Amino acid sequence: MTRLEGEHAPSPTHDRGNASPPPPAPGSPMLESMGGTAGFVYSTVPVVVFVIALALLSTKAAVIAAVATGAVLTVARLVRGERLLAASGSLTGVLVAAGIVALTGSAKDFFLLGIWVAFAGFLATFGSVLLRRPLTGVAWNLLHGGAHAWRRDRQVLRAHDIATLAVASVLGARFVVKQWLYVHDATGWLAFAKIAMGTPLTVVAALGVAWAFRATSKRLVDSRPGPTTAQQEAELPPRQDASR
């Protein structure tokens, strides 16, 4: 059966109905692996329980109460369907902090791990900027196959310098404030600082990282030139003569 003259086969380049939607922008695997913003909120509950129990009971009883709270929250999050790594993150931190307190016998050492983790994170992030390899840019490149010369683009490198410095500022501020409180034996204020400088500052830093990721994708991925008209025509099958 022949086609009527003037009737053309639909071109695959004009078939908009079957076009697949663009892939979603990558999120933050680090934030997701920690349970997102809710994970940071869950991590503050054992701290609050520890401080309250410390004011009423012995150090040993306060540590047990904090560990028990962390275990209950972990089970609850697993029941809700969260991944094991995300659900158990806060419990792992509580267990390590409890082990340090058991070794030293000092209640303020419950916060020692967080203080030095913040210091190590500050050194890593700030040092990466000095070496002209900001960690947020390295992370973006790894998420996109590691094949982009992102450091050659000045605007992209500047964006990741800003984002990585934002993360370094948060970590450095946590270390300075908590270390000062630790030296002055202010256990209650250490708990307050952990909560106040936890989720709020993490959200601010995450927004900076998301901005840098989006700007980099826009310049290096979304702005890549598509196939030219000549290339598209070369890929199409040859037209058949309608008079046949």
Side-chain angles (χ1 to χ4, degrees):
M1 183 175 180
T2 60
R3 293 182 179 273
L4 296 178
E5 188 171 353
E7 182 181 356
H8 300 286
S11 172
T13 58
H14 293 82
D15 190 3
R16 302 295 183 188
N18 295 329
S20 58
S28 174
M30 182 179 297
L31 188 62
E32 292 176 0
S33 67
M34 300 178 72
T37 304
F40 291 99
V41 176
Y42 283 124
S43 67
T44 64
V45 177
V47 177
V48 174
V49 171
F50 173 78
V51 174
I52 294 175
L54 186 64
L56 302 174
L57 305 170
S58 65
T59 300
K60 181 178 180 180
V63 169
I64 293 174
V67 172
T69 302
V72 170
L73 290 176
T74 299
V75 172
R77 295 174 69 180
L78 289 174
V79 171
R80 289 179 53 190
E82 295 189 34
R83 293 178 301 176
L84 178 62
L85 180 61
S88 62
S90 60
L91 177 60
T92 303
V94 172
L95 288 174
V96 175
I100 296 175
V101 174
L103 290 174
T104 64
S106 176
K108 68 178 184 179
D109 288 339
F110 188 82
F111 304 95
L112 191 60
L113 176 65
I115 293 173
W116 290 105
V117 166
F119 181 66
F122 169 77
L123 290 180
T125 50
F126 188 71
S128 71
V129 174
L130 294 180
L131 294 174
R132 311 305 297 156
R133 287 174 174 79
L135 286 183
T136 60
V138 174
W140 181 91
N141 196 32
L142 289 175
L143 288 172
H144 290 78
H148 295 272
W150 59 277
R151 295 175 58 243
R152 297 180 183 176
D153 191 307
R154 290 186 177 181
Q155 293 188 24
V156 168
L157 184 60
R158 186 180 303 114
H160 286 290
D161 280 342
I162 294 172
T164 306
L165 284 175
V167 177
S169 299
V170 169
L171 296 172
R174 286 176 181 171
F175 170 74
V176 171
V177 172
K178 292 181 181 180
Q179 178 65 15
W180 186 86
L181 293 172
Y182 178 86
V183 170
H184 288 80
D185 297 324
T187 304
W189 283 106
L190 274 170
F192 176 80
K194 178 177 176 60
I195 296 171
M197 304 182 74
T199 302
L201 294 185
T202 298
V203 171
V204 172
L207 289 175
V209 175
W211 165 76
F213 271 45
R214 189 177 298 111
T216 305
S217 297
K218 185 176 182 180
R219 285 187 63 84
L220 300 184
V221 179
D222 300 341
S223 63
R224 286 186 302 182
T228 62
T229 304
Q231 290 174 335
Q232 291 177 350
E233 291 179 352
E235 293 175 356
L236 293 177
R239 296 183 178 180
Q240 297 181 353
D241 190 353
S243 63
R244 291 184 182 178

